[in-house]
Amino acid sequence: MIPASAAREVLVKPSLAPGIAHELRFTVPVGKTVPHLYPESPAFAAMPEVFATGFMVGLIEWACIDAIAPHLEHGEMSLGVHIDLSHDAATPPGMEVVARVVLEEVDGRRLRFSVEAHDAADRICAGRHERFVVDRARFDAGVARKAEA
């Protein structure tokens, strides 16, 4: 019998290992500000035009996805399963945001990242993000079954 720790080690490519780091640069357009997050919501529509927390979360996920893409097998993808971020400063449209992510831990198919982002003036967020490596075809089949129910 293979010990559980050994079984976890073979679930992902060996190159998918702690220490992988990535930086993603993104200039905030007006369409990624708070009023555009849920335009159906009068409360959101009344908010200031600054980089929305929801879009910031997506930027962090994007950076993590890009970081590990070369280390996934054909047919695999990763899904965000947990996010714990601060949102420390407002970023106006037109300003560049730099997201930096580091893969800190690989536990079977669960990946844990430390993350942060800065604009030209401030650190705008910091925290942790977890993703899970899945087989795309199997995931799509599960979603299809759920939609049919």
Side-chain angles (χ1 to χ4, degrees):
M1 174 176 252
I2 298 173
S5 60
R8 279 195 298 262
E9 291 173 14
V10 297
L11 292 177
V12 296
K13 284 174 78 171
S15 66
L16 186 56
I20 294 171
H22 186 67
E23 180 177 287
L24 177 64
R25 294 176 175 271
F26 180 75
T27 300
V28 177
V30 171
K32 298 294 188 227
T33 61
V34 179
H36 300 276
L37 186 59
Y38 277 101
E40 307 85 356
S41 166
F44 274 118
M47 299 288 286
E49 283 194 334
V50 295
F51 194 32
T53 303
F55 289 125
M56 183 187 70
V57 168
L59 183 68
I60 293 297
E61 287 200 83
W62 180 6
C64 292
I65 290 166
D66 282 358
I68 64 168
H71 306 280
L72 296 180
E73 297 285 356
H74 178 74
E76 288 181 330
M77 67 177 190
S78 69
L79 302 170
V81 296
H82 185 84
I83 193 115
D84 181 11
L85 294 178
S86 61
H87 194 166
D88 304 323
T91 303
M95 190 171 274
E96 183 179 65
V97 171
V98 180
R100 293 181 181 97
V101 302
V102 178
L103 180 58
E104 298 285 341
E105 183 181 349
V106 177
D107 180 14
R109 292 184 168 271
R110 184 176 300 276
L111 312 175
R112 291 183 183 93
F113 295 84
S114 63
V115 302
E116 67 177 35
H118 295 260
D119 62 23
D122 298 300
R123 182 185 84 179
I124 66 165
C125 86
R128 298 190 129 358
H129 178 45
E130 292 183 11
R131 301 191 68 74
F132 204 86
V133 177
V134 299
D135 177 87
R136 176 68 188 253
R138 185 174 173 190
F139 178 81
D140 288 346
V143 171
R145 281 191 304 276
K146 187 174 186 177
E148 292 171 3

